[in-house]
Amino acid sequence: MKLLRELTKRPWLTKGLDSDPGPGADGIRGATAAATGMWFYVGVASVMFSLIVAAYVLRLGNYGADPAAAAAAKASLAWWTLAAICGIPPADDWAPMAEPFLLWINTGVLIVSSIAWQKARGDLRKRRMDSLRITLTAAGLFALVFLAGQLTVWRQLIGSGQFAAVGPAIAFFYLMTAMHGLHLLGGLFFWWRTTSKVLNGAKAEEIAAGVNLCAVYWHYLLLVWIVMFGLLLIT
Amino acid sequence: MTTYTTIAEDTRPLHHPKTWVGKYVWSQDHKVIAIQYSLTAVGVGLVALVLSGLMRMQLAFPGMLEFITPDAYYQFVTMHGMIMVIYLLTALLLGGFGNYMIPLMIGARDMVFPFVNMLSYWVYLLSVIVLMASFFVPGGPTGAGWTLYPPQAITEGTPGAGWGIIMMLASLAIFIVAFTMGGLNYVTTVLQARTKGMTLMRMPCTIWGIFVATILGLLAFPALFVAAIMMTLDNTIGTSFFMPAIISGGAALDHSGGSPILFQHLFWFFGHPEVYIVALPAFGIVSDLISTHARKNIFGYRMMVWAIIIIGGLSFIVWAHHMYVSGMNPYFGFFFATSTLIIAVPTAIKVYNWVLTLWRGDIHLRVPMLFAIGFIFTFIHGGLTGLFLGNVSVDVPLSDTYFVIGHFHMVMGVSPIMVVFGAIYHWYPKITGRMWNTMLGQAHFWITFLGVYAIYLPMHYLGFLGVPRRYYEMGDTAFLPESVHDANVGITIAALTVGAAQLIFFYNLIYSYFKGPKADPNPWGATTLEWQTPDTPPAHGNWGPELPKVYRWAYDYSVPGAARDFIPQTTPPGPDEKPHEH
Amino acid sequence: MRVAVVIVLLVIGSVAFHFLSPWWMTPIASNWGELDNALIITFWVCGAVFIALNLFLAYSVYKFRHRKGSKATYEPENDALEGRLTFWTAIGIVIMLAPGLIAWNKYITVPDDAIVVEAVGQQWQWSFRFPGEDGVLGAVATEHIGPDNPFGLNPGDPWGTDDILVAEGELHLPLDQPVKIVLRSNDVLHNFYVPQFRAKMDLVPGTYTYIWLTPTRTGEFEILCAEYCGRSHYNMRGLVVVDEMPAFEEWLSEFPRFGQSNVAAAATGAP
């Protein structure tokens, strides 16, 4: 609403500084620039992950040319699940992926990592710097464990002959986990920058933005992972 | 030198590089980065211009140049298209003009993430190098057409289906990384680094156009990124995202179940906003050129801003008008034809307002203004022909003919380039501190403007006739009269003339840079901030010790009662002016 | 000044070009006059706007060019004028869009009495298949394609036995008979385009697409591939011959049925 009011102003009528607070001494207005940048990046990443999900659903509904095969596909449970959820039945060559149990453990690890970030924010607010050092380190390590776990799943799948070319579901699995993993890796870069500052005794104010933004970013990636994992599970 | 050190967090005075390398190569100054972006984009654009000349030679004089085989022809077509759309126009308008103009026009010292900004340029350069390298790989660059439609793009029947397409996809992915880094910078800078008094509605149209186009780019390029990765996987490790079971080279390929149409949806989900990524900055810039040189405020400023925002939003729900005859669900045609024609309304409003700005103006027909008028003419033409192709059943006979070639060259080739030329002439005195030669500028305008119309007007009529696009040669085709060949010869002569005329432009810029007369700091009497810098060209940090303060909107031209016909944004309200309305 | 004159000349030149140039739509040979009508409505609406806007542009530039002492008017906006312009633009849009959508609805709705023919694209040639007396095209799949079975018919499918195979790039169609052309590709995207028919649609590997039309005059019409399909795209030509019904039937009777082929014989011979 504030934005709408702003955008409907007749700018030629008002002269002067127009009660504009302007930027601070640092040349920046409002929230830190890093926060704005991160939120825009979350927007970019969301479009990308949404499109992967959309492509997954569309690919799922691509029957191909053979009506007989499409009819056969309708006999499967996956067809009914998808038809109920998305209105789209799966393609005739669709082979649901058998999700390795390890993925559940990895999901748990990523949740713990997110919780650690949340606790880090609490520590920061209460200025408990000793505790912060531990929670920050834990948050990053759990994320690393998650990545190692994902790699292990890849190795297990490849070891059992489940290459990406085997079927569309498994191909999307590799694509989704790779893109998600790369985003987490990018997050870990910022985790390392923040954590190394804390370990070197930085003051709370210096790392507040870093901790808060990383925490939000981690929750976001957890959400992305849960959506994608859920999609793999139900199809 | 860290990724999120912003000017915000860095309270020391700006770090002034001492060495030549620090100043011009590893520079974090937005102005230097803008020049780096621009020179690279124009350099690679010249390659694309030469390629188009070669294509025209083949079409007018089939077989005369023996090295233009069908393979080579399709490779030229592909590289020409991709370079012009992405590596020239997108990079020049956002990486070049965006970088140069944003901090200057909103009163900031630099972008908020200068290091990321520098990184963005070097990653962009890498994408250009990878793209150019594809000319030298076995099999040459890809000849898949700039739309890169699978299965054709990655099967044997297409030139460059081995290395070429991989290099292209890799280069695109790298470009998108570069663009995202730059784009995050532009939007954050516009939102947060505006100086005191620079409210959103006091921003010049240039900034609005660049700002909204950047948001479009940030949200649209991921689609191309995903599509490029998926196609790479189809090509290299044998997945079947886009590849159904097909025969290629007489043998069945090891793919099944993929959807070629899925690729087209992803591609055009990026591809249509891409048109506006190029057009919106041009819309914004041309608004300011017209206003400045007509000594009149841009007519209906609020409507102009809203139109930019509305066009930007709508551009995400019209993509499938590129796919009316693609075999997608035919019922989509109703929706996308309607949404596409709706987008014509805000676009038409913009055209009316440009012309209404001239109405009762005080029009100085300097070279930038000539190009702005040239833009209005070519954009009216290109915009109207868009109504043919957007309207689903009118598109059926015209799609994939020369009508399409004529249309999109007018609307997103010629008209933005008109603005680019106008903008370069307009800001050249500020950027270099020198003035260009007027006679050469006018010669450049007239040859370019009349030449491009001679190229593209006949193409529309070839399209009505039914001449299909992407044909290496027409050979014997019964329904085509002999005169079609004459048209091709005429178009080629016009195209080569226009291409050669660009030498005048480059000569003018280079000669004037060294020998041109010293320019006035504000030669056009413009109101916007970039003309009010203490130094010309602006020094590092742009503004001397104090940031400028903004007291009025960007269009106080010919205000009744004012002493001069413009009042810079930095001028405090006079005694007659009420400081606040209400 | 000069630029105003040139713009007027360009407008006059464009109109003259329209009337003098020898290039316009080929004489139509199908029922798709509606597509032409929608195009012509769009053409005249857009043409009128093109002329009006550019003449106004030229007049403004001429009338308000800078002269000594001239001054611009100060007028930030004019809501009423912009409202009127928006309204009339919207009207113009509706005038163009409505016939377009109505024609499209017809374009995608195949009449019940249409006969079926399949056009198959494969780099870089056309071939055709008629369904035979049963009116049903037999099932096909890429895996069945071979030297003896270029269409990839499934030998086990009884519907395919009477399919008539036209393994050459010339297709005959009967005059005044609605025909649904089912489009199928064995490799990459192609597009079935006969300029005189106006209709056009991509062939998409892995699925079927279709167009329908009624040929309205006899004659020979070239098929051009209108979706880029690789290095010989420009050479992917075919021919449609529109005949009177008896001549068509005679032409069709010369082609073999799938049931007569070696593949089909082997399949029925097997237990």
Side-chain angles (χ1 to χ4, degrees), chain A residues 27-28, chain B residues 7 14 27-33 99 102-104 106-115 117 185 189 193 540-543 547:
Chain A
I28 298 289
Chain B
I7 301 180
L14 279 186
S27 172
Q28 298 185 29
D29 183 328
H30 71 102
K31 298 183 292 297
V32 178
I33 296 171
N99 246 318
I102 291 172
L104 278 168
I106 64 168
R109 294 204 182 277
D110 205 319
M111 290 287 175
V112 291
F113 310 114
F115 179 80
N117 204 22
N185 238 318
T189 305
H540 188 62
N542 296 343
W543 303 110
L547 285 176

Side-chain angles (χ1 to χ4, degrees), chain A residues 3-219:
Chain A
L3 183 67
L4 207 65
R5 213 165 38 241
E6 179 76 29
L7 291 180
T8 48
K9 272 188 191 158
R10 293 179 166 78
W12 54 91
L13 293 180
T14 53
K15 313 289 177 193
L17 293 172
D18 203 15
S19 46
D20 178 35
D26 53 6
I28 298 289
R29 6 176 118 216
T32 62
T36 311
M38 188 209 71
W39 279 110
F40 267 99
Y41 187 72
V42 165
V44 173
S46 299
V47 173
M48 197 197 72
F49 286 118
S50 313
L51 286 169
I52 294 179
V53 168
Y56 184 89
V57 173
L58 285 172
R59 176 65 180 79
L60 196 52
N62 184 43
Y63 312 98
D66 191 349
K74 287 186 187 177
S76 71
L77 181 66
W79 189 89
W80 289 106
T81 322
L82 241 133
I85 295 171
C86 319
I88 293 177
D92 51 37
D93 69 329
W94 190 265
M97 183 189 155
E99 288 80 15
F101 182 70
L102 187 52
L103 285 179
W104 287 99
I105 298 177
N106 290 348
T107 309
V109 171
L110 193 60
I111 292 174
V112 173
S113 176
S114 244
I115 293 173
W117 275 109
Q118 200 52 33
K119 180 157 184 327
R121 289 174 92 174
D123 288 343
L124 185 71
R125 212 170 31 248
K126 296 171 196 144
R127 295 291 185 271
R128 291 196 299 226
M129 299 308 275
D130 287 342
S131 171
L132 180 65
R133 274 192 267 279
I134 296 166
T135 42
L136 271 186
T137 313
L141 287 182
F142 275 110
L144 281 168
V145 170
F146 170 82
L147 285 179
Q150 296 287 75
L151 276 176
T152 312
V153 173
W154 277 28
R155 287 191 47 177
Q156 284 176 357
L157 285 172
I158 293 170
S160 64
Q162 299 276 303
F163 298 110
V166 167
I170 206 113
F172 270 103
F173 170 78
Y174 283 106
L175 179 66
M176 287 170 170
T177 46
M179 296 316 293
H180 181 260
L182 283 174
H183 277 79
L184 196 58
L185 215 54
L188 279 168
F189 171 75
F190 291 94
W191 164 75
W192 174 243
R193 283 169 43 98
T194 309
T195 308
S196 59
K197 277 190 206 161
V198 176
L199 295 179
N200 289 329
K203 289 200 195 68
E205 294 74 38
E206 291 172 46
I207 43 106
V211 171
N212 282 318
L213 293 180
C214 278
V216 172
Y217 185 69
W218 244 256
H219 299 338

Side-chain angles (χ1 to χ4, degrees), chain B residues 21 73 144 176 234 270 278 321 326 333 337 366 413 430 439 451 509-510 512 574:
Chain B
V21 170
Y73 178 80
I176 293 164
D234 275 4
F270 144 76
V278 172
H321 66 216
S326 72
R366 305 174 186 117
K430 177 56 67 179
M439 221 181 63
L509 292 199
I510 294 167
S512 305

Side-chain angles (χ1 to χ4, degrees), chain A residues 47 51, chain B residues 215-225 266 269-271 273-274 277 316:
Chain A
V47 173
L51 286 169
Chain B
I215 294 178
L216 295 192
L218 287 173
L219 301 182
F221 271 115
L224 182 63
F225 188 75
L266 287 173
F269 185 83
F270 144 76
E274 169 63 31
I277 292 168
F316 280 100

Side-chain angles (χ1 to χ4, degrees), chain B residues 554-565:
Chain B
Y555 299 99
D556 262 347
Y557 289 104
S558 303
V559 180
R564 290 187 298 174
D565 66 354

Side-chain angles (χ1 to χ4, degrees), chain B residues 240-294:
Chain B
S240 297
F241 293 115
F242 306 133
M243 296 291 279
I246 60 168
I247 304 285
S248 175
L253 296 187
D254 202 11
H255 292 282
S256 76
S259 166
I261 294 180
L262 173 58
F263 176 87
Q264 297 179 31
H265 279 300
L266 287 173
F267 184 87
W268 290 113
F269 185 83
F270 144 76
H272 197 78
E274 169 63 31
V275 175
Y276 291 99
I277 292 168
V278 172
L280 292 183
F283 289 176
I285 291 171
V286 83
S287 303
D288 288 351
L289 298 192
I290 291 173
S291 170
T292 304
H293 295 276

